[in-house]
Amino acid sequence: HSSTQPSDTAGVTASPSTVSTPRGQSQKRTVKDFTFGRILGEGSYSTVMLGTEKSAGTEFAVKILDKRHIIKEKKTKYVNIEKTTLSRLSHPFIVRLHYAFQDPGSLYFVLDLARNGELLSLIRRLQRLPEDGARFYLAEIVTAVEYLHHKGVIHRDLKPENILLDENMHIKLTDFGTAKLVDESNVASTSPQRSQSFVGTAEYVSPELLTDKTVDKSSDLWALGCILYQLLAGQPPFKGPNEYLTFQKILRLEYSMPDHFSPQARDLVSRLLVLGPSERLGAGESDLSAIKRHPFFRDINWDNLHEQTPPNLI
Ligand code: ATP
């Protein structure tokens, strides 16, 4: 399905040229099969453009990575992780990798187009979400994370910037460059991570990563607590003037909840933002049902979230 062998001299994964495709096609795509429109965004190592597949007229987000830049910045590993991970996943709340191909200068990842941008922008625009909106979006995020964990993937960088919104205002989780594969069949992908000094984003980083550089699935549960807080408060729970002071706050569990949080929201935040990873709600279990059963989610129907109409927030 996917491959990580360095099949070109650059050491950047060359195949597959086609990942699984939506309509069972398996022909190789090239850059000539697409017309490119506006730039949707730019990352440190990539440009994301609107791309239309000429044959069917389907629009995608095409992430274009400059090989020389990636090699120079030693990011080959992360690019390969992103592709390997995405090609294992297929879920309505996770950005799908439709095709991956390359030319001599660039790598191209053809992804689901999330037309409504980042959840972070929505939070900023609204200042904060009403509790029903926060509940709905956290429920979608919990559903996506439950699927990831079931597939042996720890995201490690969950945050509102990495949660995109599609044309129907449902979520599409993205940014799998720092994900970790934890099942046995991917031993090679799991081993080198422990010595890594810091992966993720300061405000959402879990205390265990700061103290003993370990990460497991419950690190994503910590991030869920940070995201729920941010949806309701408008800003993350731990935010200092610099990274060091942010880390100090995290390690001391130094945060407070605004008065408008309901008792159920307060309870859920405080059960996720727990210093001991194994004490977090849902930790050590095979799914996230403990979180789903929490009173905060009492009115959520978990069976068909992606078919529900998201709350009208704007
Ligand atoms: P960095 O690499 O610096 O952490 P990043 O991970 O956000 O940045 P990209 O994944 O390349 O980098 O995304 C760059 C921008 O493009 C994002 O901020 C996002 O707004 C936009 N973008 C990324 N993927 C999509 C998508 N599937 N649909 C729509 N817009 C997207």
Side-chain angles (χ1 to χ4, degrees):
H1 208 64
S2 64
S3 147
T4 50
Q5 81 268 29
S7 46
D8 63 3
T9 48
V12 175
T13 306
S15 56
S17 40
T18 301
V19 184
S20 60
T21 64
R23 294 162 294 276
Q25 303 160 344
S26 58
Q27 294 137 272
K28 195 167 174 162
R29 294 293 184 287
T30 77
V31 75
K32 294 203 187 81
D33 293 312
F34 296 84
T35 52
F36 291 90
R38 65 189 173 89
I39 292 178
L40 297 168
E42 264 162 315
S44 325
Y45 309 100
S46 53
T47 301
V48 179
M49 296 185 82
L50 185 69
T52 308
E53 194 178 9
K54 290 175 188 166
S55 60
T58 316
E59 290 184 315
F60 296 98
V62 184
K63 181 162 172 167
I64 306 168
L65 303 112
D66 179 63
K67 285 188 200 173
R68 274 190 9 230
H69 184 55
I70 287 166
I71 292 159
K72 198 168 99 226
E73 300 292 323
K74 300 190 167 44
K75 300 295 169 188
T76 312
K77 187 178 111 191
Y78 299 105
V79 174
N80 284 331
I81 289 173
E82 179 164 28
K83 190 173 81 64
T84 310
T85 308
L86 276 179
S87 57
R88 290 162 59 113
L89 303 175
S90 172
H91 189 278
F93 295 152
I94 295 171
V95 160
R96 177 161 175 175
L97 177 63
H98 293 263
Y99 315 108
F101 51 82
Q102 61 179 314
D103 61 22
S106 304
L107 300 174
Y108 299 84
F109 292 169
V110 179
L111 303 161
D112 276 342
L113 172 62
R115 290 181 196 274
N116 279 307
E118 300 173 5
L119 181 60
L120 181 66
S121 313
L122 182 70
I123 299 171
R124 291 207 170 131
R125 213 175 330 141
L126 300 171
Q127 316 240 5
R128 57 183 164 93
L129 267 59
E131 202 153 304
D132 275 343
R135 186 180 354 270
F136 180 84
Y137 281 111
L138 192 71
E140 292 207 336
I141 299 162
V142 166
T143 303
V145 171
E146 183 176 59
Y147 170 81
L148 283 184
H149 288 185
H150 174 70
K151 287 281 180 182
V153 173
I154 308 173
H155 188 286
R156 300 204 295 183
D157 199 14
L158 292 171
K159 55 178 175 176
E161 266 174 279
N162 290 337
I163 299 160
L164 306 178
L165 297 165
D166 71 11
E167 65 273 23
N168 299 315
M169 292 299 281
H170 288 283
I171 69 157
K172 292 277 183 201
L173 183 58
T174 188
D175 207 351
F176 287 82
T178 48
K180 184 176 172 181
L181 302 173
V182 286
D183 65 354
E184 265 83 276
S185 59
N186 276 283
V187 180
S189 312
T190 64
S191 46
Q193 302 295 335
R194 196 168 194 268
S195 58
Q196 207 122 51
S197 54
F198 177 61
V199 178
T201 305
E203 280 81 11
Y204 307 86
V205 77
S206 59
E208 62 273 19
L209 187 71
L210 296 173
T211 51
D212 45 18
K213 296 189 170 67
T214 58
V215 166
D216 71 1
K217 290 178 180 174
S218 58
S219 308
D220 283 345
L221 304 180
W222 173 273
L224 288 177
C226 293
I227 294 168
L228 173 57
Y229 182 106
Q230 185 169 2
L231 288 167
L232 292 168
Q235 41 206 325
F238 308 100
K239 195 167 175 50
N242 57 46
E243 273 194 358
Y244 174 77
L245 292 170
T246 298
F247 295 158
Q248 293 304 307
K249 288 188 177 203
I250 292 168
L251 292 168
R252 296 187 190 123
L253 200 64
E254 200 179 298
Y255 75 100
S256 59
M257 292 190 253
D259 290 341
H260 64 79
F261 281 27
S262 71
Q264 294 78 14
R266 266 168 211 283
D267 189 80
L268 181 52
V269 168
S270 66
R271 285 176 197 272
L272 291 168
L273 296 182
V274 175
L275 290 178
S278 61
E279 315 286 297
R280 290 172 203 146
L281 190 64
E285 290 172 27
S286 59
D287 58 25
L288 297 188
S289 57
I291 295 177
K292 292 168 150 186
R293 281 195 309 266
H294 188 277
F296 178 70
F297 288 122
R298 192 164 355 195
D299 299 329
I300 289 286
N301 176 358
W302 293 93
D303 298 335
N304 63 348
L305 276 168
H306 76 281
E307 287 159 359
Q308 294 174 28
T309 305
N312 192 357
L313 299 172
I314 311 161

